[in-house]
Amino acid sequence: MSNDNLHVNSRGSLEILAPAGDWNALRAAVTAGADAVYFGLQSLNARRRARNFTLEEARHAVDLLHAHGRRAYLTLNTDISYRELGLAIAVLRQAAEIGVDAILIRDPALLAFRKCFPQLEFHFSTQTCMANSADVAAAAELGADRVVLARELSLEEIRRIAQQSPIDLEVFVQGALCFSVSGRCLMSSWVGGRSGNRGLCASPCRVPWAVEGQQAGHPLSMHDLCALEHIFQLHEAGVRAVKIEGRLKTADWVARAVAIYRRALAGDNIDELKSEARSLTSYTGRELTNGYLIGEKTNLTGSNRGRVGRDEISADAGDGIGGNAGEVFMEGEETPAFSFDKKGFEFTLSTANKRIECQLRWHGNDVTWEYPKTVVRRAHKAVTAAELCEMVQGRYFQGCAADHVETDDPEFLLVPRTVNAILDRISAEIGRIRRAENKPIVIDFPEGGSFTASDLAPATNNVRALGDMPNRVRIGIGQLTDFVSRVQPVHLIVDGAGPEDVPTIAQVCRKHVPIVALPPVCFEDELSRMEELVERCRKARLAVEVNSWGGWWLARRAGIGFEAGPGLGVLNPLAAAFLRKLGARSVTISVEADRRQIEDICAYAPVALSLYVMGRPPLAISRAELPEEFLGRVFADRRDLRMRPAREWGLWVFRPLIPFDWRRLRNDRIRVKHLVVDLVGSPDPVGEWLGLTSRSRPFTFNYHRTLQ
């Protein structure tokens, strides 16, 4: 092994990339020997519950990193709404100005500005679901300099991808794992509107679950990743950087994690280092695993060895304080989405009475609200009123900062969920006041980009309003024949089909307009099968629905007509415009979107739109193998989220028992080309299509609540 170590170190090409949720963690990473550090500002990053960095802190962080010969990566890796586009552009400008080396992205809208910032590297986040060589080829064609591969890949799959990759590859080697493939999870959004795709995952997979009414422990809680023994294999496979997860961890945790991997590269005993790595999980008591890397998909979840303590290490995802409930706007010459408001608000937190009282005063508006005084059982996680006031004072909420913040009891302790609720409410109230004043949104597009403001105009073929009769159905291949024989002709999206099903689809759907859906997740071993499916659809003159970047790349290469499906769902009209430029003849609005976000997309998207108005979307798509007897059985948590797993695309897919349903809603500001009913997972597709089995009080998902 010593020879291998010398070989690796002599090339000096394997980068150790460390997380930093705050300034102390960043300095600890540098001291411990990280080659690069990734961090986020206080909004638009996938760890909004971390403390994160102000712009001034980010500037100092870049200076510190560069002074020590290290690289600085800024995370901008979330879905972005229309009202956040100006902020995202401002962040890109500021990142380029302060010398950030690379940004991590998820939203395709940011690709429209790739040419405007040649000094910035663009890295595709793991949130983009880079699971095969076609995904990576697509990223390269779109201008990415690096991709962060999906955490579910084996060493052999990574090796095969690297052999074909024209750009750098980055792989996670230490930290928490998600049950669902990253970017393909809706569980947190479904139960409370806090989206993991927007950095506010509440970690519902970590809680206890019952299966068919029987307590089953923690069957969805993944063990933690540790790839120490494979670090040289990853390097020899062609990986450029190894990444440590942990922007919610303390400086001490980061320092220890980085030091372990630095010592591994220096040739220290791997078995001893693994023992030290095991201590990194003492705060959760989770086991360590390298299962995915060695091709093992079983025994990756479940029982833990028990918590040891949390004095040294901060909370895992879902336990921290939100990085920012509003938006963080940067000082400087450029104007973000909202005009910067120089008149700040006043906020008062009172605790003298039986309930916690909040008061916000701004632009002549005086708003008050209350919260119960929750008993603080874990003081180490609590936040003092003074600390909350500092949070409010130190950030911007939709373009507005605080002029004055005060509290009557600085030492009063607040539980994290109350703190998050207060920050969310301040942002919501300021947004409500802005909307009441009817202030326009102005986006300052940079010169040299793919689009200008004039390109965002609604397509003329989006004429069907929410509340009109749906005109498209998504149906599973196993349900197709029966459904078509019993209903009037409709536009069909056929889900779950393989290459062998194409002749049947063409025959059964002769009087319909079928589109064949490509899978949202495809690993390397299945890539040839997806490629064959695209080719057979081309020969049968059937269009496809692309749900991943690899799917787009295959469809484009085959010269076949395609639409962008929910796997590439958009949260802003610029992303829709970009997909149209890539050849999509229609684009699907993100199933997570709330009412206002949908209205904004419909008002500005220059492409035909599809909107799902009823269905059971996949809440989690996992490569982890659970016991076979769990298939088809009802999982329920303490919040009464009930869902049922099935095998789809060779993976475990969890869909809710109860669908969301917007068919009784009416909104003439929401106009699209296709209103889609998703009947995949339905026990009675015909009845639900006809409305015969609809609930009296339908669940409306995020329509009536603000997507966080």
Side-chain angles (χ1 to χ4, degrees):
M1 182 172 289
S2 59
N3 290 337
D4 287 340
N5 295 340
L6 291 173
H7 182 49
V8 171
N9 293 333
S10 66
R11 288 193 296 182
S13 59
L14 188 62
E15 175 183 282
I16 296 179
L17 177 57
D22 59 27
W23 182 256
N24 289 335
L26 184 138
R27 287 188 297 189
V30 172
T31 302
D35 299 299
V37 178
Y38 66 102
F39 56 92
L41 298 176
Q42 292 173 323
S43 191
L44 303 185
N45 82 82
R47 286 293 183 270
R48 285 166 59 195
R49 293 183 182 277
R51 181 193 177 278
N52 292 312
F53 290 72
T54 65
L55 177 63
E56 191 60 28
E57 288 173 334
R59 188 187 305 274
H60 291 311
V62 173
D63 290 343
L64 174 68
L65 289 166
H66 288 174
H68 287 82
R70 320 299 169 82
R71 285 166 60 83
Y73 300 156
L74 184 68
T75 58
L76 198 54
N77 54 344
T78 64
D79 285 332
I80 298 169
S81 71
Y82 173 64
R83 293 165 187 268
E84 296 166 330
L85 277 175
L87 169 61
I89 295 170
V91 170
L92 287 174
R93 286 192 173 105
Q94 298 289 358
E97 177 190 323
I98 67 177
V100 166
D101 296 290
I103 59 165
L104 278 78
I105 67 166
R106 166 180 164 91
D107 197 299
L110 299 182
L111 294 171
F113 310 115
R114 178 68 184 93
K115 295 180 181 179
C116 304
F117 302 100
Q119 66 272 59
L120 288 175
E121 290 184 13
F122 276 52
H123 295 183
F124 268 37
S125 164
T126 191
Q127 287 289 113
T128 58
C129 190
M130 296 282 105
N132 60 58
S133 54
D135 289 325
V136 175
E141 190 166 323
L142 293 168
D145 301 280
R146 178 187 292 188
V147 301
V148 186
L149 292 177
R151 286 175 279 189
E152 294 77 14
L153 298 179
S154 69
L155 280 165
E156 179 57 29
E157 289 171 325
I158 292 170
R159 185 177 294 108
R160 289 165 61 187
I161 292 171
Q163 289 173 350
Q164 306 173 64
S165 176
I167 55 179
D168 285 346
L169 303 180
E170 180 177 306
V171 172
F172 277 97
V173 291
Q174 186 72 41
L177 288 171
C178 293
F179 178 72
S180 179
V181 175
S182 296
R184 300 297 188 227
C185 185
L186 298 178
M187 289 177 64
S188 181
S189 183
W190 188 263
V191 298
R194 305 186 75 85
S195 173
N197 298 319
R198 285 171 54 79
L200 284 178
C201 179
S203 298
C205 58
R206 298 291 188 193
V207 305
W209 289 83
V211 179
E212 294 291 346
Q214 300 298 315
Q215 293 302 316
H218 299 76
L220 309 184
S221 182
M222 294 288 291
H223 300 325
D224 282 359
L225 171 65
C226 180
L228 271 169
E229 61 192 278
H230 304 295
I231 190 166
F232 300 112
Q233 292 170 290
L234 288 168
H235 182 262
E236 293 300 328
V239 171
R240 172 68 180 86
V242 290
K243 185 173 193 172
I244 298 168
E245 183 276 335
R247 283 195 285 141
L248 290 165
K249 310 297 195 303
T250 63
D252 176 72
W253 189 98
V254 171
R256 286 195 283 153
V258 172
I260 288 170
Y261 279 86
R262 179 55 63 198
R263 288 163 55 198
L265 288 180
D268 281 16
N269 184 278
I270 293 296
D271 289 335
E272 293 179 3
L273 293 175
K274 285 177 65 178
S275 179
E276 292 186 38
R278 193 170 185 264
S279 71
L280 295 175
T281 67
S282 61
Y283 71 104
T284 62
R286 291 199 288 266
E287 301 293 341
L288 292 176
T289 184
N290 63 348
Y292 282 136
L293 285 169
I294 62 174
E296 176 60 57
K297 306 180 186 69
T298 59
N299 301 314
L300 302 183
T301 68
S303 60
N304 302 316
R305 61 180 184 270
R307 297 174 186 263
V308 174
R310 301 178 72 123
D311 294 336
E312 296 182 351
I313 304 173
S314 67
D316 195 10
D319 292 335
I321 299 301
N324 186 22
E327 292 81 8
V328 182
F329 289 83
M330 312 304 163
E331 297 176 355
E333 298 179 357
E334 307 298 345
T335 302
F338 299 104
S339 300
F340 179 79
D341 205 306
K342 295 183 179 180
K343 182 180 179 182
F345 63 86
E346 297 179 9
F347 176 76
T348 301
L349 180 74
S350 301
T351 63
N353 298 322
K354 292 183 178 180
R355 294 171 65 85
I356 299 168
E357 299 175 357
C358 300
Q359 183 179 33
L360 184 144
R361 294 175 293 276
W362 188 54
H363 282 205
N365 294 271
D366 193 329
V367 184
T368 60
W369 66 93
E370 298 180 343
Y371 299 96
K373 290 184 176 180
T374 305
V375 176
V376 176
R377 302 187 187 280
R378 291 182 283 184
H380 62 283
K381 293 179 61 178
V383 176
T384 66
E387 289 171 334
L388 170 63
C389 289
E390 290 178 4
M391 293 180 191
V392 175
Q393 189 76 64
R395 64 193 65 187
Y396 293 101
F397 296 85
Q398 303 203 37
C400 182
D403 277 345
H404 179 74
V405 179
E406 65 178 29
T407 180
D408 58 352
D409 185 0
E411 300 303 317
F412 184 84
L413 293 180
L414 299 154
V415 296
R417 65 174 177 273
T418 300
V419 175
N420 284 325
I422 291 171
L423 297 174
D424 289 347
R425 183 66 180 268
I426 293 172
S427 179
E429 291 296 342
I430 289 176
R432 181 186 61 78
I433 294 169
R434 280 194 179 280
R435 292 192 295 272
E437 294 176 345
N438 223 6
K439 290 192 174 182
I441 297 173
V442 178
I443 300 176
D444 187 6
F445 286 86
E447 294 184 4
S450 304
F451 298 95
T452 64
S454 61
D455 293 310
L456 297 185
T460 57
N461 54 358
N462 290 320
V463 296
R464 193 171 292 264
L466 179 61
D468 289 346
M469 179 67 182
N471 62 332
R472 180 172 277 189
V473 169
R474 188 181 197 90
I475 194 80
I477 184 64
Q479 304 164 311
L480 177 64
T481 301
D482 179 67
F483 184 83
V484 169
S485 68
R486 297 170 61 190
V487 301
Q488 294 297 316
V490 293
H491 292 267
L492 291 169
I493 301 172
V494 183
D495 191 281
E500 67 280 1
D501 297 311
V502 172
T504 300
I505 295 171
Q507 181 179 6
V508 170
C509 300
R510 282 179 296 179
K511 296 181 180 180
H512 302 260
V513 184
I515 298 170
V516 179
L518 303 184
V521 183
C522 177
F523 293 100
E524 193 69 18
D525 284 345
E526 293 293 320
L527 185 57
S528 60
R529 182 171 168 80
M530 184 162 73
E531 188 172 11
E532 183 183 358
L533 175 59
V534 170
E535 179 59 22
R536 291 199 181 187
C537 287
R538 184 189 67 80
K539 292 180 178 179
R541 298 185 178 180
L542 298 177
V544 296
E545 177 193 81
V546 299
N547 288 293
S548 67
W549 287 115
W552 165 77
W553 188 79
L554 291 176
R556 182 178 178 277
R557 190 175 65 165
I560 190 174
F562 68 91
E563 300 184 5
L568 290 177
V570 301
L571 204 60
N572 66 76
L574 185 59
F578 188 80
L579 287 170
R580 178 198 182 198
K581 184 178 180 181
L582 296 181
R585 63 191 194 189
S586 75
V587 175
T588 302
I589 297 173
S590 170
V591 72
E592 285 192 278
D594 63 36
R595 176 186 59 82
R596 181 166 294 279
Q597 290 164 344
I598 299 170
E599 290 174 352
D600 287 341
I601 295 170
C602 293
Y604 298 103
V607 62
L609 296 170
S610 292
L611 176 68
Y612 279 76
V613 295
M614 183 266 183
R616 298 170 179 80
L619 301 187
I621 301 174
S622 183
R623 204 181 194 186
E625 288 286 341
L626 301 182
E628 197 74 14
E629 59 266 25
F630 283 172
L631 279 172
R633 305 181 73 185
V634 177
F635 280 61
D637 71 355
R638 59 194 175 197
R639 297 183 61 171
D640 201 32
L641 167 60
R642 292 183 294 159
M643 55 186 188
R644 192 193 313 272
R647 284 196 185 277
E648 300 180 26
W649 319 296
L651 305 171
W652 281 66
V653 177
F654 286 75
R655 295 182 183 269
L657 265 64
I658 304 300
F660 79 93
D661 196 343
W662 295 353
R663 290 177 294 180
R664 300 184 188 181
L665 301 175
R666 184 74 199 181
N667 188 336
D668 289 332
R669 298 181 65 181
I670 294 177
R671 291 189 174 272
V672 298
K673 183 175 182 180
H674 305 294
L675 293 171
V676 190
V677 170
D678 184 355
L679 298 175
V680 178
S682 170
D684 181 12
V686 173
E688 288 197 326
W689 168 249
L690 298 176
L692 301 178
T693 57
S694 60
R695 302 170 66 223
S696 58
R697 296 184 63 184
F699 172 52
T700 56
F701 195 7
N702 286 332
Y703 184 86
H704 289 301
R705 61 193 180 196
T706 301
L707 176 67
Q708 298 298 314

